Amino acid sequence: MAFDLLKDDDLATCVHCGLCLDACPTFRVTGLETESPRGRIQLMTEWKRGSLPFTEEQARHIDLCLGCRTCEAVCPSGVPYGRIIEAGRADMERARRPATKRWLARTALRQLVSHPTRLRAFGAMTRMAQTVGVTGAVRSGRQLPRLRAPFRAPQGDVAPAIGERRHRVAFLVGCVMPILYPQSHEAAVRLLQLAGCEVWFPPGERCCGALLAHNGDLDGAALLRDANTSVYAGEQFDALVVDSAGCGAHLKDFYPELKGRVKDLTEWLAEVGLPPANNEVKLRVTYQDACHLAHAQRIRKQPRDLIRAMPGVELVEMRHPEICCGAAGLYSTLEPSMSARILKEKMDDMLGTRAEIVVTANPGCQMQLATGIRSRGSNMNVEHVAELLLRAYSAPSP
Amino acid sequence: MSMQPQVVAELRSVVGRDHVIDGANDLRIFARDASIEGAMPDAVVLPANSAEVAAVVRLAAKHRVPVVPRGAGTGLSGGAVTIRGGIALQMTRMRRILEIDPVGQTALVEPGVVNQELSLAAASHGLFYAPDPSSQKACTIGGNAAENSGGPHCLYYGVTTNHVLGMEVVFADGSVHWVSGDTPDRIGLDLCGILVGSEGTLCTITKVKVRLLRQPPTVATMLAAFPTVESASHAVSAVIARGIVPAALEMMDQVTVGAVEAHYHAGYPTDAGAVLLVEVDGIAESTRELMSAIREVLAANEGYAMREAKTPAERELLWAGRKGAIGALGRIKPNYYLHDGVVPRTKLPQILSAVGEIGEHYKLPVANVFHAGDGNLHPNILFDLRDHGVLDQVESAGEEMLRAVIEFGGALSGEHGIGLEKSAFMPWVFSPDDLYVMHQVKDVLDPDGIMNPGKVFPDPDRKRARLAGRTGLAIEAKWW
Amino acid sequence: MVKAPAVERPGSAEEVATRLREAAEARLAVTPVGGGRASGMGDSTDPCDVEIRTSRLDRVLEHSQADMVVSVEAGITVEALQAALLKKGQFLPLDPFNSPGHTIGGLLASGWTGPLRMRFGSPRDFLIGIRVALPDGRLASAGGRVVKNVSGYDMMKLHLGALGSLGVIVAASFKVFPTPLHDVTVESSHASLEEGLAASDKALGLPLAPSALELFSSGRVLARFLGSRDAVERMVGELGWSKTDASAWTQHSRRGPENWARIAVPRHKLRPTLLGLPLDAEWWASPGVGVVHWTVANDPERVRDARSAAEAAGGSLVLMAAPAELKRAIGAWGTPPPTLALMQRLKAAFDPQHVLNPGRFVV
């Protein structure tokens, strides 16, 4: 069996120290070495070197990895876990027997996210179903939010800066965000305008490919990357701003042409600065790190600084804000039982803060957290960090 | 020798189907801890409570199967390696903090509680748990108690045994007992004292009651650069000789600093021959006075570029660099091997130069990062296991370094334990009589030898010291 | 060859081991004696056949000032050792009651502690090496002479407080401490126990807690602050008690009533323990540790009640010295721990002929 996408030098950087173990959500709930980053690296190393045969049984350990990369952030040896798990999964997909569930999920993904019109149609159908109350028909591992009209770029594909124009940024509209969380995009764009940015919406831009790459479909992801790169090529902009952590992480890793110009919304806002707040909101808030922001992009300070700067807002940290909520892209759908165990631990921690709002920076996390909160009968609200930040600015008078 | 299916079935009936792993492929993943040793268990068993542990141990006793308790597997001496097969008793499902008593300043925890989780939980009461091994993010309290773990702050606060008040343990016959408790003076023999640090060879720990301390009102942390490890070593001795015992006093050499800086960007000076990380705590008046005295001493010993952390975040970053140092060495070579011998502090300059010479002799890079205040060395020999024949060289170099430690009047291990890696060297420091008497304790508490066999005591069938053991008499003459 | 009755004064560790082996072979009961300061401790026994006195083993074997480590023979007295350390600006936080005259070996075997335990812990926390003569004639060492050591089993713990029932301690190594930069003792007097307790609590709650604090049944509180000058002076200022001479501690350590008991309870349960003692009781306590020393009368009922209360609080009451009839009535040690059988097996392994202090200790 060839495991040729996995690189032996990447695998060899693991010194087996075990510092990653308790950072791994699946290890925390199972206590098993086989469900830990160190165990998974050993497994892939042994596959690669041929000292263990590839078996479907052990492939489960790789399936159960959330890809949250918390381990990568705590790893002192600099093991490139994200790269290893993506390569390992791609190698594995070629090695294993096709499984209907995974195949369906991957095909559906490719078909859906690669084609914005299909996604929008899916959104419209779901919205209709929600309106007439037959959501059971589209039930998945977690519940979809109540859908509103999808986000659409303004006329001319440009939103002007408010006040002096100091920067020009491109904005990633993406695939599922505009349908599931149009309000997050709206708030993000508004914040950018307030920060003196002219916002350009690249016409013809498609899904960034993150969902495909995270599920072992590197070829599908490359097709989307090439299409998008040509969209960005002709245009001048200071940064490509992304308000979905998973997309941001993927763009930073997978789009060499954009090197250094991809910015998470909070990263960018912290860099260019927001105007002084003009609205005080008394709120107790807790912040859940989105894995692809905190671990893949190492951005933890900026969103917190921005939140703390809001007059009236008290940021209460949970004990482990850096631990994954169990959403992890399609994970909650593919591995509902493990996802639920991880979510339970998250809820124990999060509800303990007695915050009114939990804020995060990724659509999958928002959905998962909302599911967990509802299941506990709590009235905590979930917001995208952009929505919370925008509360510091009173709405323009009509 | 694999385990009889009947035994596996009985284990399953105790802990539940899902909590026994016996697939050969998966067992391979449990073969190692953080040392370089490895051997497959016959089954991994994850008990949920003391009663299940007791039942598993009774089964093991009935079938004469080895039992090797395992926490997070971060140990560096091979203590959790199932060298004679048997049951790897993985304690990680037992990870509840059962009680924190802010008035009595104690905590009662299950053995799988991660060290740092306890500190986080104690912090909300203004308390902390003092022993802080560098692996505290992952290592468990049960593992800490079994190994009598140390950590940077043990210089002032003492090691695990000084903080364990009592334990619930399961002995080799499956009996469950509390040893000691929460009183300062107990009646009878101090069983708790001998069980802490017994490396899983006498019992399985199922609950630990620990002392918590009040968080100091002020903490001052300073980094200082030195031209050489020798000058830094002299500075360490000078600080202690001045009558100051800092909360922590850590050294990193240039190789280590380079690796650490690449990951943590903590602002360590990469051009220095060595850096010291010094911490003092207490009330503001005393930290101010101590720190200024320390500055004086360090400056008099060629210390320069002294920088005190100004914010808690800065302090945390300085410590993150130190605590992640051993892992960070993976940036230089993918494998490391180290012994944690202890020398009298005044011997630090000599031992460090001996370590350097041994490394050079074997053409192996060595990175030093250690608890200088205690004289507790960590010479990390760096290598790539994929290089043919390297392991033999590495082990030889490690053995020579440890032997040098003993020649300077030191001890085999300061905190990692003897485990598998150092058991062959025990006769260097202990006479046959010393070892006989220790083994009497083992024979009383584990007459059939099922608890973590092959550890602590020398096992000539498995590994012999390459350097000859000294006679007990010679050692005694030197010691007493 | 040992013959009973005998008082042996061996001149070397080897000789201790030999005498011990000979006694064991002859089935003679042996009592190891250091300074004899704790000779009242333990249950009453018939007179022993052989006393092994360590008084000739009184040397400092090595004191490395820079390494802050000292190794001594077991028969050296605490006072002689402290004097040797003081010359090099160091000390050991050993301040047992019924001083002077404790030997190091005797002190380790008795497990007695004094007021400084609050800050420095008991010898359990700074004993780093030990050498013990055993009834089979072996000399066994454990630990070492470095301040941090996990090589082999921590055999020191087994002999500490075991009243010589497993072997005779012949030498020990300690981590020593620098003489404090600043050492101030203060005291205050209070009309009632409640006020005295409140005053203790106030002192114990200071950000730099005292290194020793003793509360007396008379209502007096004595506290000692060690540390840097500014820190100590600030604490003493906040407390506002009157300064007194450090010799108060020497006087205090001379307390050793003819009949007394030690009550140990979890620190936070000391208050009810003290309040539960007879109103006219004479005692002194370390509230920061959870230990009370009580001058007992020959009154089994009272002592038994106090012991029941201490044991109910998860603690113990041990007779330090008492008339034989009191010991016979209530026993020196109280309820044995549930692990007694294990302890007895350990005792049997170390002392199969049962010659060491038979009947005196718990096992």
Side-chain angles (χ1 to χ4, degrees):
Chain A
M1 196 64 62
F3 278 83
D4 47 9
L5 292 173
L6 275 172
K7 297 281 169 277
D8 200 66
D9 281 343
D10 281 350
L11 293 165
T13 51
C14 175
V15 297
H16 221 79
C17 68
L19 288 200
C20 55
L21 263 68
D22 216 56
C24 176
T26 57
F27 178 82
R28 291 170 67 93
V29 300
T30 63
L32 284 169
E33 185 78 24
T34 39
E35 309 305 344
S36 78
R38 180 171 69 174
R40 291 183 177 118
I41 290 170
Q42 191 187 333
L43 178 58
M44 288 186 275
T45 306
E46 302 222 22
W47 281 344
K48 167 94 187 163
R49 296 182 188 166
S51 47
L52 264 181
F54 177 82
T55 63
E56 188 58 35
E57 206 180 10
Q58 287 196 293
R60 290 291 299 139
H61 304 314
I62 307 300
D63 286 342
L64 281 175
C65 170
L66 295 142
C68 68
R69 296 167 70 180
T70 315
C71 53
E72 191 171 331
V74 301
C75 174
S77 302
V79 172
Y81 187 83
R83 196 157 73 207
I84 290 175
I85 193 75
E86 275 186 11
R89 282 186 162 148
D91 275 343
M92 206 171 82
E93 286 313 316
R94 290 185 295 181
R96 74 202 303 195
R97 294 190 308 279
T100 321
K101 191 175 175 189
R102 280 196 322 278
W103 178 83
L104 264 179
R106 280 182 54 177
T107 312
L109 252 191
R110 246 199 212 206
Q111 294 304 317
L112 266 179
V113 303
S114 312
H115 302 278
T117 47
R118 289 181 193 160
L119 252 185
R120 267 202 295 277
F122 177 71
M125 274 164 54
T126 309
R127 210 156 65 234
M128 215 153 65
Q130 285 177 339
T131 317
V132 298
V134 289
T135 44
V138 288
R139 185 178 297 145
S140 75
R142 60 195 155 181
Q143 290 158 287
L144 292 174
R146 191 149 189 89
L147 297 188
R148 314 189 322 185
F151 176 89
R152 279 182 190 279
Q155 287 288 313
D157 295 320
V158 170
I162 295 172
E164 187 200 347
R165 184 194 116 160
R166 292 184 291 145
H167 310 277
R168 182 163 202 267
V169 299
F171 185 81
L172 179 83
V173 177
C175 52
V176 294
M177 277 287 278
I179 296 162
L180 295 182
Y181 292 105
Q183 64 274 32
S184 308
H185 268 3
E186 283 154 15
V189 171
R190 181 88 194 151
L191 287 169
L192 287 169
Q193 291 176 290
L194 283 166
C197 303
E198 178 181 286
V199 187
W200 172 59
F201 302 86
E205 180 194 63
R206 297 160 73 183
C207 164
C208 66
L211 279 173
L212 301 185
H214 297 154
N215 287 282
D217 186 3
L218 292 177
D219 300 338
L223 287 174
L224 288 170
R225 174 193 54 205
D226 296 344
N228 283 336
T229 305
S230 62
V231 173
Y232 304 134
E235 198 72 21
Q236 294 295 315
F237 54 90
D238 303 325
L240 171 62
V241 177
V242 186
D243 63 358
S244 148
C247 306
H250 180 68
L251 286 159
K252 285 181 179 178
D253 278 355
F254 210 68
Y255 281 61
E257 291 80 0
L258 291 173
K259 197 159 179 51
R261 281 198 298 162
V262 179
K263 299 281 181 186
D264 178 74
L265 175 72
T266 58
E267 183 185 18
W268 177 251
L269 290 177
E271 206 172 304
V272 301
L274 276 167
N278 58 12
N279 192 26
E280 179 169 340
V281 275
K282 288 255 175 275
L283 276 177
R284 189 174 165 94
V285 172
T286 192
Y287 179 78
Q288 162 67 27
D289 284 299
C291 298
H292 280 100
L293 194 58
H295 311 311
Q297 303 182 55
R298 308 287 161 90
I299 294 174
R300 300 192 64 194
K301 185 171 180 294
Q302 295 93 324
R304 288 177 167 82
D305 287 350
L306 290 166
I307 293 168
R308 286 206 183 92
M310 293 176 68
V313 169
E314 184 196 0
L315 178 63
V316 199
E317 292 280 11
M318 50 189 118
R319 198 167 279 169
H320 289 293
E322 79 288 0
I323 296 285
C324 180
C325 62
L330 289 185
Y331 191 91
S332 59
T333 308
L334 292 172
E335 304 293 348
S337 118
M338 182 65 80
S339 173
R341 287 168 76 181
I342 292 165
L343 180 60
K344 180 188 171 298
E345 221 195 42
K346 175 56 61 185
M347 286 301 123
D348 292 344
D349 190 0
M350 199 175 92
L351 298 177
T353 63
R354 299 191 315 281
E356 295 154 85
I357 297 184
V358 55
V359 182
T360 187
N362 193 58
C365 316
Q366 280 178 260
M367 231 189 293
Q368 175 89 342
L369 294 176
T371 306
I373 290 168
R374 268 199 304 274
S375 73
R376 292 290 185 94
S378 159
N379 55 5
M380 196 182 280
N381 283 311
V382 186
E383 282 188 10
H384 188 281
V385 62
E387 292 171 73
L388 178 77
L389 292 176
L390 194 59
R391 286 168 179 262
Y393 303 92
S394 46
S397 36
Chain B
M1 183 194 75
S2 74
M3 196 177 275
Q4 312 243 328
Q6 169 62 20
V7 182
V8 175
E10 286 180 54
L11 289 169
R12 287 219 155 93
S13 72
V14 171
V15 296
R17 231 202 105 64
D18 293 348
H19 299 124
V20 176
I21 289 161
D22 69 332
N25 292 345
D26 271 356
L27 290 176
R28 253 186 106 88
I29 309 298
F30 292 86
R32 284 184 62 191
D33 57 10
S35 70
I36 56 171
E37 307 273 351
M40 271 170 61
D42 296 311
V44 177
V45 179
L46 290 93
N49 52 50
S50 315
E52 288 189 6
V53 172
V56 169
V57 173
R58 274 196 301 274
L59 270 176
K62 184 173 94 183
H63 298 284
R64 299 285 167 94
V65 172
V67 176
V68 181
R70 178 183 171 102
T74 55
L76 289 160
S77 61
V81 173
T82 43
I83 195 71
R84 306 229 176 115
I87 296 167
L89 197 56
Q90 175 103 39
M91 307 304 284
T92 39
R93 273 178 77 212
M94 295 171 64
R95 56 180 288 157
R96 284 176 307 160
I97 294 175
L98 299 171
E99 177 191 270
I100 288 186
D101 174 359
V103 182
Q105 299 189 3
T106 60
L108 178 65
V109 302
E110 291 188 325
V113 167
V114 168
N115 178 297
Q116 193 169 54
E117 293 279 327
L118 175 57
S119 283
L120 281 172
S124 51
H125 303 284
L127 302 170
F128 75 110
Y129 176 63
D132 59 339
S134 297
S135 55
Q136 72 185 129
K137 274 182 187 167
C139 65
T140 63
I141 298 293
N144 292 171
E147 298 292 323
N148 192 11
S149 304
H153 287 84
C154 294
L155 174 61
Y156 182 84
Y157 289 104
V159 295
T160 302
T161 191
N162 306 116
H163 298 274
V164 172
L165 295 167
M167 303 195 292
E168 184 195 72
V169 299
V170 175
F171 286 109
D173 59 357
S175 62
V176 185
H177 284 288
W178 262 100
V179 288
S180 295
D182 39 17
T183 65
D185 292 282
R186 77 240 144 247
I187 300 299
L189 301 175
D190 185 358
L191 292 178
C192 184
I194 190 115
L195 295 176
V196 171
S198 62
E199 306 192 21
T201 62
L202 300 179
C203 66
T204 303
I205 298 164
T206 49
K207 289 192 185 83
V208 189
K209 185 149 197 176
V210 298
R211 186 208 321 268
L212 301 174
L213 301 176
R214 274 197 291 175
Q215 284 178 336
T218 336
V219 181
T221 311
M222 185 171 74
L223 193 71
F226 290 83
T228 60
V229 286
E230 283 75 20
S231 53
S233 306
H234 285 298
V236 168
S237 289
V239 168
I240 304 283
R242 174 83 175 254
I244 302 170
V245 182
L249 181 46
E250 302 282 306
M251 195 193 300
M252 276 167 278
D253 68 6
Q254 190 166 17
V255 180
T256 310
V257 166
V260 164
E261 201 44 31
H263 179 73
Y264 290 100
H265 313 293
Y268 287 15
T270 49
D271 57 340
V275 302
L276 287 182
L277 189 58
V278 195
E279 187 162 288
V280 292
D281 58 25
I283 63 173
E285 284 85 348
S286 104
T287 56
R288 238 189 342 261
E289 186 176 333
L290 288 177
M291 210 37 124
S292 91
I294 290 170
R295 269 175 188 274
E296 229 172 74
V297 176
L298 299 189
N301 285 276
E302 302 185 60
Y304 66 96
M306 288 181 241
R307 181 164 69 85
E308 221 171 296
K310 286 182 199 70
T311 62
E314 247 183 77
R315 170 178 177 256
E316 225 166 86
L317 191 58
L318 287 178
W319 275 112
R322 164 59 190 92
K323 294 199 171 171
I326 289 186
L329 297 172
R331 291 172 184 272
I332 302 170
K333 292 273 183 180
N335 302 92
Y336 58 77
Y337 182 75
L338 77 158
H339 292 306
D340 65 319
V342 189
V343 292
R345 280 174 286 246
T346 46
K347 301 293 193 298
L348 279 176
Q350 291 104 304
I351 187 71
L352 287 171
S353 82
V355 160
E357 280 163 26
I358 295 166
E360 268 167 39
H361 173 77
Y362 284 93
K363 300 195 173 54
L364 288 165
V366 178
N368 285 291
V369 43
F370 62 101
H371 310 309
D374 293 318
N376 189 184
L377 302 177
H378 293 80
N380 293 271
I381 305 170
L382 308 177
F383 64 103
D384 188 335
L385 202 49
R386 293 170 297 179
D387 296 343
H388 185 70
V390 72
L391 193 55
D392 190 58
Q393 292 287 298
V394 168
E395 285 190 293
S396 293
E399 184 173 337
E400 278 190 38
M401 288 174 190
L402 198 54
R403 178 55 173 248
V405 164
I406 303 304
E407 302 285 342
F408 285 116
L412 289 172
S413 175
E415 53 185 13
H416 298 169
I418 298 298
L420 275 182
E421 294 201 325
K422 290 183 279 270
S423 59
F425 313 134
M426 287 286 273
W428 290 353
V429 286
F430 294 115
S431 72
D433 280 352
D434 300 341
L435 292 173
Y436 173 89
V437 173
M438 285 182 198
H439 214 285
Q440 278 188 315
V441 176
K442 167 84 176 166
D443 290 340
V444 166
L445 296 176
D446 177 22
D448 293 327
I450 63 165
M451 292 306 303
N452 206 0
K455 310 291 168 66
V456 180
F457 297 99
D459 175 1
D461 292 341
R462 200 188 71 82
K463 178 174 169 182
R464 285 167 196 273
R466 295 162 212 237
L467 301 165
R470 304 203 293 192
T471 65
L473 280 178
I475 272 289
E476 280 163 27
K478 194 160 181 200
W479 273 23
W480 300 108
Chain C
M1 202 60 204
V2 175
K3 287 212 177 63
V7 174
E8 298 285 339
R9 289 189 179 79
S12 68
E14 288 72 20
E15 202 184 325
V16 175
T18 307
R19 294 288 96 80
L20 198 49
R21 178 175 50 77
E22 290 167 355
E25 284 166 356
R27 298 283 201 278
L28 297 175
V30 177
T31 291
V33 178
R37 308 306 293 168
S39 56
M41 205 180 191
D43 284 313
S44 292
T45 58
D46 297 330
C48 264
D49 303 316
V50 181
E51 269 187 28
I52 294 185
R53 293 185 172 263
T54 56
S55 47
R56 284 173 66 208
L57 302 174
D58 62 350
R59 292 174 304 155
V60 173
L61 294 169
E62 188 187 339
H63 175 209
S64 168
Q65 182 192 12
D67 290 324
M68 303 217 304
V69 170
V70 70
S71 299
V72 296
E73 290 184 316
I76 190 172
T77 62
V78 171
E79 290 74 22
L81 174 54
Q82 298 285 30
L85 294 174
L86 188 62
K87 280 188 209 148
K88 306 279 182 66
Q90 296 177 340
F91 80 111
L92 269 172
L94 300 174
D95 51 354
F97 300 111
N98 205 19
S99 282
H102 286 275
T103 60
I104 288 298
L107 187 59
L108 295 178
S110 70
W112 288 12
T113 57
L116 281 173
R117 174 174 182 176
M118 181 180 156
R119 154 71 181 78
F120 296 94
S122 72
R124 194 181 189 271
D125 298 302
F126 46 83
L127 175 70
I128 57 174
I130 200 167
R131 193 170 193 216
V132 181
L134 299 169
D136 62 4
R138 287 173 209 270
L139 277 169
S141 303
R145 291 204 296 191
V146 290
V147 296
K148 194 175 174 193
N149 191 351
V150 297
S151 318
Y153 292 159
D154 189 348
M155 304 295 288
M156 284 85 85
K157 302 286 192 290
L158 276 187
H159 297 286
L160 267 172
L163 213 62
S165 60
L166 299 183
V168 180
I169 299 169
V170 293
S173 293
F174 296 93
K175 169 163 104 172
V176 300
F177 297 82
T179 308
L181 304 168
H182 201 53
D183 181 350
V184 175
T185 299
V186 293
E187 69 175 321
S188 66
S189 289
H190 304 275
S192 70
L193 173 54
E194 277 299 346
E195 282 174 36
L197 279 165
S200 304
D201 285 348
K202 184 183 171 198
L204 293 172
L206 289 171
L208 173 69
S211 294
L213 182 139
E214 296 283 285
L215 170 65
F216 299 83
S217 51
S218 64
R220 180 184 179 219
V221 185
L222 193 60
R224 185 174 189 178
F225 289 88
L226 307 177
S228 72
R229 177 174 297 274
D230 291 354
V232 165
E233 290 303 331
R234 192 187 120 197
M235 292 303 111
V236 167
E238 275 185 29
L239 210 50
W241 297 355
S242 53
K243 287 194 184 178
T244 186
D245 195 82
S247 64
W249 295 103
T250 314
Q251 285 166 25
H252 184 41
S253 75
R254 290 180 196 270
R255 279 167 208 275
E258 200 170 328
N259 302 316
W260 53 318
R262 180 187 68 207
I263 304 174
V265 289
R267 186 172 46 188
H268 59 291
K269 291 185 178 154
L270 190 79
R271 168 188 292 269
T273 302
L274 292 175
L275 293 171
L277 287 176
L279 279 175
D280 59 349
E282 200 180 304
W283 50 256
W284 68 94
S286 300
V289 181
V291 170
V292 195
H293 289 94
W294 174 26
T295 309
V296 293
N298 191 0
D299 180 347
E301 280 317 304
R302 277 185 159 198
V303 183
R304 196 181 282 133
D305 287 350
R307 176 176 278 162
S308 304
E311 290 182 352
S316 61
L317 183 151
V318 168
L319 295 176
M320 305 287 270
E325 64 259 42
L326 181 57
K327 284 187 181 176
R328 271 196 297 275
I330 63 165
W333 302 101
T335 311
T339 44
L340 183 66
L342 274 177
M343 294 175 184
Q344 285 164 340
R345 275 157 58 198
L346 281 169
K347 163 81 175 173
F350 280 79
D351 179 18
Q353 286 87 14
H354 230 76
V355 295
L356 278 165
N357 267 335
R360 192 172 165 205
F361 188 55
V362 181
V363 292

